[in-house]
Amino acid sequence: MDFWTELDQWALLVPLFPALAFVIIGSLGERLKRFEHGGWVAVVFAGLSMVLGFLIAIGEMLGPGTYVDVHTTWFSIPASTGFPKGFSLVMGTLVDPISALMLIVVTLVGFVVMLYSIGYMHRDTGLPRYYAILSLFLTAMLGVVLADNLLMFFLFWELVGVCSYFLIGFYYAKPSAASAAKQAFIVTRVGDVLFLAGIFIYFSIYAAADPTWAASGFLFTNGNSAFLNLGVGVNSNLLTLAGLFLLAGAAGKSAQFPLDSWLPDAMEGPTTVSALIHAATMVAAGVYLLVIGSLFLGFTSIDDFAIVAIGGFTTIWAASMACTHTDIKRVIAYSTVSQLGYMVLAVGAGFAMVGLFHLYTQAMFKALLFLAAGSVIHAVTTQDLFKMGGLRKKMRYTAFAFLAGAFALSGIPPFAGYWSKDDILSSLYGQLATHPEYWPFYLMALATVFLTSYYIFRAYFLAFEGPTSREPGLADHAHESPWVMRVPMLILSGMAIVGGMFVFIPGFASLFDPALTSAAFPVTLPLNIPPSYPLIDIELSAISVVLAVLGILVAWRLWGNGRIAPLPRSRPARAMHHLLAERYYMKRAYDWIAATGAYTVARGADFVDRFVIDGTVRGFERTFAGLSQRMRKIQTGVVSDYAAYVIAGLIALFVIVLFVAPWLVSKLGGG
């Protein structure tokens, strides 16, 4: 066994390092005041996790296609009627090209966000709680990445949701933050319940089709063989339902339509939380789930179309709302929802690895945009774009970082977003001949290219360009961030500029096409994995770049050099602006449904409580009270009355014994 394979055996240490940080910070708390209230402890352990994660990823690049599954049996059930070969639950780690790529994403972004937090969060209270929960979140996300079976995946998936609740509601004394945390928790739980139902269906179907799958602990690497053993069309309805339930779970976590309302409101949490959770990790977990489902579990054709439809519609749905918002963090949040739609679209079209490629690039430049926005907020203490302006003169590093992220998001070559976004568009276009039903969603994704470059450069021009700020005195105290904030932005800026071109490195490219680089790849499902990266059609790429440049020019014409575009006087334009600002009234609709539904359920529960439960209790009470009152009248205290009762009872007994009983016996015997 060589060094790299031996290193894969210790993959458990990657999530263990931040877990130790959680224990140390949670135990010592304020006693770590000299270490930035535990911040440097979190940075050190996140750094150790990143180093080990990168070494494991390098091992996968040097030996592409290796699959190292290290697990132990949690508990097992002997063979029975339901499980002819037994049933086992395992806990373990699976190191493969996909998880290796995610280790790069999660550990790198986790480390730079931890370091950035030292400068950004130093004025806040409750920092031990912040660093402890952030470390626990990093542990949970790495557990999702390394899980080798569906149940373990779900356990860490839920821990991610719990941590996000605490981090979004970090400023719990602020009503809007507490409300956003509850909304995020409830909406994602809706998807998680359906996800769990999908797991149960997969368990029941695959365990029956391939008993060794249940006996081995529902390992991902055995799932595809169970799928193939079903045969064509067998249990297709149940499999379709299971796939749709997995899509619901992914839509909840990745904020896809119609479960997207929680993510923009989640910006009530610290900006560092947005950079880690809502750019590179938690929301990416939904896409990662779909990739795992596509590669190891299998989706039916109906599932694929549903995934394409949800992803394609979400791209333009979220991008349109980003065009009117004035909160710099919410603009980036809607951008996250839209870009996640691209990834979901790619997975549904059969290009799981292409979607994973965009997940990797988007994590870098979207985390960069959030950190740059946080640097602005840290300097001017406002999130309102219409109060900013002219900040580039005093915040050159931050302006450069935001501009690099904006170019990458817009898909301008050679920035990272160009390679992955155009890869998705080209791959999907190649499917239109055999799947003409994908046309509407392809056009939505193409139109989103223009909207994306427009809204992100609108934000850039409003914040950084112009002669001065629009709020008097706002720019007077603006200053560049300290080094602990600048260094993470510079690292991610480099990734936003050249990170997409890493795919030309043969070893790195092997992480995206493992099926073609190793015969040991366990997946035998038909996959649309391109032979090389990037798979970009030059003509389509030209159209995409022209749309992106056009969006930048329109943004400059309306908002550049300190200009403020007046809202058109026409009723349709104002109505459309209001519709977008109100988020298509979906948030209000959800609030109304929740309030009406809760009120209806509460009234029904009140009726049952008052008239069914309490009514039954009161009915018994009144019945026995009445009988008691009647019985009390018999108790006269007169001995002669009691003697009369005894004599009457004896007479009745004799009548029953002498006359009634013989009559009943004769009747029964004769019948």
Side-chain angles (χ1 to χ4, degrees):
M1 182 179 295
D2 61 18
F3 169 77
W4 300 109
T5 305
E6 179 69 26
L7 196 62
D8 291 347
Q9 305 287 330
W10 296 96
L12 179 63
L13 291 177
V14 180
L16 186 60
F17 285 133
L20 288 174
F22 164 73
V23 173
I24 293 172
I25 300 171
S27 301
L28 298 180
E30 290 296 341
R31 281 174 285 185
L32 296 171
K33 186 176 181 179
R34 67 176 61 184
F35 300 104
E36 288 293 334
H37 304 275
W40 285 113
V41 175
V43 170
V44 169
F45 280 99
L48 292 173
S49 181
M50 180 183 67
V51 170
L52 182 56
F54 268 65
L55 288 175
I56 291 174
I58 291 172
E60 284 297 316
M61 296 178 198
L62 297 177
T66 59
Y67 285 75
V68 179
D69 190 350
V70 179
H71 61 265
T72 182
T73 301
W74 188 5
F75 72 85
S76 60
I77 298 175
S80 62
T81 304
F83 300 97
K85 295 193 177 182
F87 171 89
S88 297
L89 290 179
V90 302
M91 299 292 285
T93 59
L94 173 63
V95 177
D96 60 358
I98 305 169
S99 61
L101 177 69
M102 291 299 294
L103 284 179
I104 295 175
V105 171
V106 176
T107 58
L108 175 60
V109 176
F111 172 74
V112 297
V113 168
M114 290 287 191
L115 181 61
Y116 182 96
S117 297
I118 299 295
Y120 184 82
M121 298 292 294
H122 73 279
R123 292 180 292 193
D124 282 288
T125 58
L127 290 181
R129 171 168 53 91
Y130 168 81
Y131 287 114
I133 298 175
L134 204 63
S135 297
L136 182 61
F137 171 84
L138 193 56
T139 300
M141 190 62 208
L142 290 170
V144 168
V145 169
L146 292 171
D148 68 344
N149 65 89
L150 204 51
L151 181 61
M152 181 178 169
F153 185 100
F154 183 77
L155 292 176
F156 281 108
W157 172 281
E158 288 301 293
L159 184 57
V160 166
V162 171
C163 292
S164 70
Y165 168 77
F166 289 120
L167 290 170
I168 295 170
F170 177 73
Y171 302 118
Y172 59 86
K174 186 180 177 183
S176 58
S179 176
K182 288 184 287 187
Q183 179 187 183
F185 189 79
I186 292 172
V187 172
T188 54
R189 291 293 76 70
V190 172
D192 291 355
V193 169
L194 296 176
F195 176 24
L196 184 60
I199 291 176
F200 289 153
I201 296 175
Y202 274 122
F203 277 9
S204 63
I205 296 175
Y206 283 9
D210 185 0
T212 59
W213 195 55
S216 63
F218 304 100
L219 298 176
F220 284 133
T221 50
N222 293 340
N224 61 295
S225 62
F227 183 89
L228 294 176
N229 288 341
L230 293 176
V232 179
V234 178
N235 290 318
S236 59
N237 292 334
L238 277 179
L239 277 175
T240 297
L241 186 62
L244 292 176
F245 283 167
L246 252 66
L247 172 60
K253 199 71 83 181
S254 291
Q256 297 295 283
F257 179 86
L259 301 178
D260 61 300
S261 63
W262 67 269
L263 194 143
D265 292 336
M267 297 302 105
E268 294 291 341
T271 305
T272 48
V273 171
S274 301
L276 180 63
I277 295 182
H278 305 127
T281 52
M282 174 183 167
V283 294
V287 176
Y288 186 63
L289 169 63
L290 292 179
V291 172
I292 292 294
S294 177
L295 297 180
F296 293 120
L297 297 176
F299 292 131
T300 65
S301 58
I302 296 177
D303 293 333
D304 288 334
F305 176 76
I307 296 172
V308 168
I310 292 295
F313 180 74
T314 302
T315 57
I316 197 167
W317 166 266
S320 63
M321 289 184 279
C323 293
T324 59
H325 264 279
T326 61
D327 186 316
I328 187 171
K329 285 177 63 177
R330 288 178 183 261
V331 170
I332 303 173
Y334 281 116
S335 171
T336 299
V337 178
S338 180
Q339 295 302 304
L340 289 167
Y342 275 111
M343 304 173 207
V344 172
L345 179 67
V347 176
F351 296 91
M353 294 305 185
V354 177
L356 204 63
F357 183 27
H358 195 54
L359 186 156
Y360 151 76
T361 59
Q362 201 260 172
M364 303 304 169
F365 63 72
K366 191 56 61 62
L368 172 63
L369 287 171
F370 270 117
L371 294 187
S375 181
V376 171
I377 297 167
H378 184 266
V380 300
T381 65
T382 182
Q383 299 177 197
D384 192 341
L385 287 166
F386 282 86
K387 293 181 180 180
M388 301 177 190
L391 295 178
R392 179 173 58 86
K393 300 174 183 177
K394 292 189 175 182
M395 305 181 68
R396 295 189 179 278
Y397 286 102
T398 301
F400 169 77
F402 196 97
L403 189 61
F407 276 123
L409 175 62
S410 300
I412 302 296
F415 291 84
Y418 164 74
W419 306 104
S420 56
K421 182 259 299 174
D422 278 29
D423 207 352
I424 291 174
L425 293 174
S426 298
S427 300
L428 182 62
Y429 183 80
Q431 291 287 84
L432 296 179
T434 54
H435 294 279
E437 67 274 15
Y438 291 171
W439 263 108
F441 309 109
Y442 171 78
L443 294 176
M444 291 178 188
L446 194 62
T448 302
V449 175
F450 168 80
L451 295 178
T452 300
S453 60
Y454 167 76
Y455 66 67
I456 197 60
F457 274 91
R458 167 182 174 267
Y460 172 79
F461 293 139
L462 285 172
F464 295 99
E465 298 299 331
T468 184
S469 63
R470 299 168 189 84
E471 184 78 6
L474 185 70
D476 294 343
H477 60 274
H479 59 279
E480 191 55 85
S481 301
W483 72 269
V484 289
M485 296 173 64
R486 292 200 305 270
V487 169
M489 287 192 292
L490 291 176
I491 293 173
L492 293 176
S493 295
M495 293 299 295
I497 296 172
V498 302
M501 291 185 284
F502 287 177
V503 79
F504 292 107
I505 302 174
F508 191 81
S510 68
L511 300 180
F512 296 99
D513 55 356
L516 300 175
T517 57
S518 173
F521 190 68
V523 178
T524 52
L525 297 175
L527 298 173
N528 297 314
I529 299 179
S532 62
Y533 280 85
L535 183 70
I536 295 178
D537 184 285
I538 299 301
E539 290 80 6
L540 292 176
S541 178
I543 295 174
S544 174
V545 172
V546 168
L547 287 173
V549 172
L550 184 61
I552 297 173
L553 293 177
V554 172
W556 168 257
R557 178 66 181 84
L558 297 177
W559 312 100
N561 200 29
R563 288 186 291 272
I564 297 293
L567 188 64
R569 295 179 178 274
S570 63
R571 185 179 297 248
R574 287 184 175 271
M576 177 58 68
H577 182 276
H578 187 70
L579 181 66
L580 295 175
E582 289 291 336
R583 299 155 65 171
Y584 295 100
Y585 293 97
M586 287 294 291
K587 179 66 165 56
R588 292 192 180 189
Y590 286 147
D591 291 343
W592 181 83
I593 292 171
T596 304
Y599 182 67
T600 302
V601 171
R603 288 194 63 182
D606 180 69
F607 176 83
V608 172
D609 181 59
R610 288 175 181 270
F611 299 103
V612 178
I613 299 175
D614 288 353
T616 301
V617 172
R618 285 194 296 268
F620 278 111
E621 180 267 330
R622 290 171 181 172
T623 299
F624 286 109
L627 291 174
S628 177
Q629 290 294 333
R630 290 182 176 84
M631 293 295 292
R632 287 176 60 189
K633 296 178 181 179
I634 299 176
Q635 304 296 325
T636 62
V638 180
V639 176
S640 59
D641 290 344
Y642 298 154
Y645 297 152
V646 172
I647 293 172
L650 290 173
I651 293 172
L653 181 61
F654 279 117
V655 170
I656 292 172
V657 172
L658 296 176
F659 299 103
V660 178
W663 180 78
L664 287 174
V665 171
S666 64
K667 286 294 184 181
L668 293 174

